Amino acid sequence: MAEQKKQSYDVIVVGSGASGGWACKRLAEAGLKVALLEAGRPQSDKNFTEHKPLFELKYRNKASEIIRKTRPIQIKFGVCNEYTYNWFVNDLEEPYTTPADKPFNWMGRLRMTGGRTNVWGRVSLRFSDWDFKSASHDGFGEDWPLGYKDIEPYYDLVEKYVGITGSAEGLEHLPDGQFQPPVPLTCQETLFRNRVKEKLGRTVMPARTANLTKPLNGRGPCHYCGPCERGCMTHSYFNSAFTTVADALATGNCSLISNAMVHKVLMDPDRDRARGVLYVDRITRQSREISARVVILCAQSQESVRILLNSATPQYSNGLANSSGVLGHYLTAHVRSGGGSGEFPALGAKTSLGAPVKPLGIYIARFRNLRNDPPYKKFLRGFGYEGASSTKFNWGAPGFGEAYKKALREPRTSIDITGFGEVLPRWDNFVELDPAVKDVYGIPVLKIHMSDGENERAMIQDMGDSAGEMLEAAGAKNIRTYAHPSAPRWALHEAGIARMGSDPKKSVLNQFQQSHDVKNLFVMDASGFTSNPCQNPTLTIMSLAVRSCDYLMSELKRNSI
Ligand SMILES: Cc1cc2nc3c(=O)[nH]c(=O)nc-3n(C[C@H](O)[C@H](O)[C@H](O)COP(=O)(O)OP(=O)(O)OC[C@H]3O[C@@H](n4cnc5c(N)ncnc54)[C@H](O)[C@@H]3O)c2cc1C
Ligand code: SF4
């Protein structure tokens, strides 16, 4: 095993994405010495291609079979394409397994500084007590060990730094935040919003997203070029690589160790304490150790839990910090296979191939199972919709020659909406180590067991039906709806497999994402979520990470870690 250059660190942070970026920034700016271990390569503005035209690409982004040879899973989501594919994990070198009857697409596995925030959709929504205390409302699962008032100041802090555009709507279950001005709605979005409110009482709003409309900390406002998932030279959307991680590095207190694939947390044999981590250098394939007073895992839910399962000791034989036995269980990830689209021919604008592109659209707030409504009979909890309008050439027009050219220019003005629904945390959705398979670095991989239950199936059906109802209320034509079973399950918003709770017998972490068992071990990504409400998770991931870092620093001051 190679010797790590002797340097003394207070904290090791594993992973530089949404959670890890904030952990490094908060701790390094407070003066702690931080080692940031990131499995991926360093990110740089030089890699950003948002303005690069297709014709400059070798295969014009048409040869997906070439990408499929190394990234057969990642390519299933459009953000992994000829521009970006080498930011993503090589699925063959770093596989996972599933039972034959429970296929699962684990997408968005990035191997770059910034993790998933390089390519994320940026929708940023607060949770409310309707979410944190959902078990008290409907009796399913467990309440979170914290409430809205505990996290509210951290939502404010994170939003002001990240830069979230949005409009105040005054909804109890989707609290307003510290918004930059929203991007105005298009004509069809405005009409849709007004009619849906008037006829059905549901709230449609400009999407709340991490795209700047005003300058912030040296970052420029968005200039509407469109493909944020290819990077952004003006840093107008939020990516940890050029925001939180850059700030942490600028303090001089944080060292970024790239290509460092963490294998396990190392324990002090004499005390119930973590002493560091073992990692594999992805370039040299050598194993290395690094030590610190505190270890924080921020590698994304499944990756962090994989590290804990791989860190079993004689005392914690079924996974480190797992005296409760719940580590790996209660995997959740949103369902999003119901929705619809409709056309608004009367609003046809002139089409253009070079027009500005809004990188965000609309959000429809949850409208099922809320206070003052009788419980919805078909399922528990609820869903929201993400959507967008577009005006496109009618490429599929019939005919040819002059007639086709004319028909092609008839604009297709439409709205598409897709539901994002809560998945109930169930014991039988879980991850474990696959004893038969290792990745290319010799690290045992995960076997993921996940499928939908009755609740999810009923919710998906309602996503399709309600999409049709709203499009009809808005007067759309050619309405098409869908509600597919979500198999294979696919995931971008996974959470819950090292859940927080007040009772150490039923949870892995306390409300500050600190292990109940090993006091100097924290897991600050979404693994700790006690449930996974329908709102996108990342704003809450980041806000919780900052809150937990503040707690960690107060505990260090008290010498109680
Ligand atoms: C296409 C897409 C769209 C999305 N859209 C939205 C959205 O609109 N709104 C929203 O809220 N969320 C969205 N998400 C989810 C969001 O990106 C994640 O919730 C968020 O980035 C998770 O943060 P994290 O810190 O847990 O993990 P990540 O941001 O993924 O960072 C984890 C980092 O850890 C590193 N790592 C992993 N394993 C190891 C290891 N063993 N050793 C060292 N390093 C390791 C990875 O390389 C990675 O850089 C989207 C995700 C994707 C992929
Ligand atoms: S649309 Fe805006 S945020 Fe996205 S890449 Fe272009 S300038 Fe950046």
Side-chain angles (χ1 to χ4, degrees):
M1 183 178 309
E3 274 287 304
Q4 172 70 28
K5 201 171 88 191
K6 271 283 171 231
Q7 183 162 357
S8 144
Y9 293 106
D10 297 307
V11 182
I12 292 168
V13 174
V14 179
S16 66
S19 55
W22 269 103
C24 292
K25 173 177 164 64
R26 195 68 172 170
L27 299 172
E29 286 181 344
L32 273 71
K33 296 286 176 207
V34 180
L36 170 56
L37 271 65
E38 166 54 55
R41 290 178 285 126
Q43 184 55 290
S44 148
D45 287 12
K46 292 194 194 109
N47 297 328
F48 297 159
T49 56
E50 74 274 25
H51 298 151
K52 188 170 182 161
L54 275 177
F55 61 77
E56 286 184 17
L57 294 181
K58 188 167 178 193
Y59 301 109
R60 312 286 193 267
N61 202 22
K62 298 281 182 228
S64 51
E65 64 277 11
I66 292 177
I67 302 172
R68 205 166 286 121
K69 281 184 186 157
T70 52
R71 285 148 179 102
I73 308 286
Q74 305 310 306
I75 199 179
K76 291 183 184 178
F77 204 64
V79 295
C80 175
N81 52 43
E82 192 179 339
Y83 288 99
T84 57
Y85 70 95
N86 66 1
W87 296 1
F88 288 78
V89 82
N90 178 320
D91 289 312
L92 310 183
E93 290 185 355
E94 298 187 44
Y96 61 94
T97 62
T98 63
D101 61 338
K102 292 185 179 175
F104 181 88
N105 288 328
W106 183 6
M107 290 178 292
R109 296 180 71 198
L110 273 288
R111 288 291 178 263
M112 298 297 284
T113 306
R116 284 179 167 184
T117 64
N118 282 286
V119 298
W120 68 316
R122 307 165 307 282
V123 175
S124 299
L125 303 166
R126 292 185 177 202
F127 295 179
S128 73
D129 274 336
W130 205 243
D131 308 303
F132 293 122
K133 305 297 170 197
S134 51
S136 293
H137 298 307
D138 62 26
F140 187 92
E142 301 284 333
D143 282 342
W144 290 50
L146 67 147
Y148 184 68
K149 283 281 160 238
D150 298 309
I151 192 173
E152 188 179 19
Y154 293 96
Y155 276 141
D156 288 347
L157 181 156
V158 167
E159 284 168 344
K160 281 185 196 156
Y161 174 88
V162 166
I164 313 283
T165 62
S167 57
E169 302 286 341
L171 301 175
E172 181 203 8
H173 62 287
L174 190 63
D176 296 328
Q178 303 288 333
F179 297 133
Q180 291 210 340
V183 177
L185 298 178
T186 62
C187 293
Q188 61 267 43
E189 288 168 352
T190 306
L191 180 137
F192 183 75
R193 180 188 62 183
N194 293 347
R195 290 197 176 155
V196 166
K197 186 60 141 187
E198 192 187 309
K199 297 196 176 156
L200 299 168
R202 297 175 191 164
T203 303
V204 181
M205 64 188 86
R208 295 175 176 177
T209 69
N211 289 81
L212 300 183
T213 49
K214 281 167 58 178
L216 182 67
N217 299 331
R219 299 163 53 209
C222 175
H223 52 266
Y224 309 111
C225 63
C228 310
E229 70 281 358
R230 288 164 23 198
C232 179
M233 289 177 210
T234 48
H235 297 179
S236 310
Y237 78 95
F238 177 83
N239 176 336
S240 307
F242 49 67
T243 54
T244 47
V245 173
D247 281 3
L249 297 177
T251 63
N253 290 326
C254 178
S255 309
L256 171 62
I257 305 174
S258 297
N259 295 304
M261 183 73 194
V262 172
H263 179 165
K264 57 171 74 170
V265 176
L266 298 168
M267 292 293 285
D268 189 327
D270 303 323
R271 295 181 303 160
D272 214 356
R273 286 181 62 82
R275 65 175 171 85
V277 302
L278 177 73
Y279 70 92
V280 180
D281 182 316
R282 285 158 54 96
I283 311 291
T284 64
R285 304 280 166 101
Q286 285 186 314
S287 288
R288 293 173 180 272
E289 283 188 15
I290 185 165
S291 310
R293 270 177 85 185
V294 178
V295 174
I296 306 178
L297 301 182
C298 295
Q300 185 271 328
S301 291
Q302 293 99 300
E303 300 281 15
S304 288
V305 169
R306 178 183 171 204
I307 294 170
L308 292 175
L309 292 170
N310 273 318
S311 308
T313 63
Q315 185 186 354
Y316 297 105
S317 55
N318 60 349
L320 186 60
N322 190 20
S323 64
S324 64
V326 304
L327 183 70
H329 290 271
Y330 304 109
L331 175 63
T332 62
H334 290 147
V335 280
R336 39 160 297 177
S337 52
S341 64
E343 292 178 17
F344 295 82
L347 299 178
K350 201 163 175 245
T351 44
S352 158
L353 280 179
V357 181
K358 266 204 328 171
L360 48 95
I362 52 173
Y363 187 77
I364 305 171
R366 171 179 166 181
F367 49 86
R368 297 284 184 226
N369 291 317
L370 297 173
R371 200 191 300 283
N372 304 329
D373 293 338
Y376 192 63
K377 290 206 177 69
K378 294 182 181 163
F379 54 82
L380 300 176
R381 314 284 162 95
F383 58 90
Y385 290 90
E386 290 180 20
S389 64
S390 58
T391 303
K392 290 184 182 149
F393 288 106
N394 186 9
W395 298 108
F400 55 90
E402 192 56 36
Y404 177 71
K405 282 189 193 164
K406 194 160 175 289
L408 170 82
R409 285 197 213 101
E410 286 298 316
R412 310 312 276 171
T413 303
S414 59
I415 284 193
D416 279 77
I417 56 175
T418 304
F420 277 71
E422 174 163 356
V423 168
L424 296 178
R426 287 186 282 116
W427 173 266
D428 52 358
N429 282 332
F430 69 101
V431 303
E432 61 180 346
L433 291 180
D434 187 326
V437 184
K438 290 182 176 168
D439 68 14
V440 73
Y441 310 107
I443 305 174
V445 308
L446 283 187
K447 184 166 190 174
I448 302 176
H449 304 249
M450 183 153 202
S451 59
D452 289 344
E454 276 308 310
N455 206 68
E456 287 80 41
R457 282 191 281 275
M459 194 182 276
I460 291 166
Q461 187 57 50
D462 192 31
M463 287 174 181
D465 295 346
S466 296
E469 188 185 24
M470 287 188 282
L471 287 159
E472 212 171 302
K477 308 285 178 241
N478 294 332
I479 295 173
R480 287 176 293 270
T481 63
Y482 57 91
H484 313 300
S486 57
R489 279 301 264 115
W490 59 291
L492 304 170
H493 299 164
E494 310 91 310
I497 41 183
R499 70 181 187 180
M500 290 186 275
S502 313
D503 182 352
K505 292 201 186 69
K506 297 203 291 198
S507 57
V508 178
L509 307 173
N510 68 15
Q511 60 158 304
F512 299 105
Q513 299 170 300
Q514 178 185 31
S515 156
H516 288 301
D517 297 332
V518 181
K519 296 296 179 208
N520 66 339
L521 175 65
F522 291 72
V523 189
M524 293 193 190
D525 49 37
S527 330
F529 281 25
T530 315
S531 61
N532 194 357
C534 66
Q535 297 92 310
N536 309 45
T538 310
L539 180 64
T540 302
I541 294 176
M542 297 191 282
S543 307
L544 281 177
V546 182
R547 178 174 185 265
S548 297
C549 284
D550 285 1
Y551 165 82
L552 157 59
M553 289 190 281
S554 70
E555 291 297 281
L556 282 174
K557 270 194 197 125
R558 293 195 313 128
N559 248 338
S560 54
I561 294 189

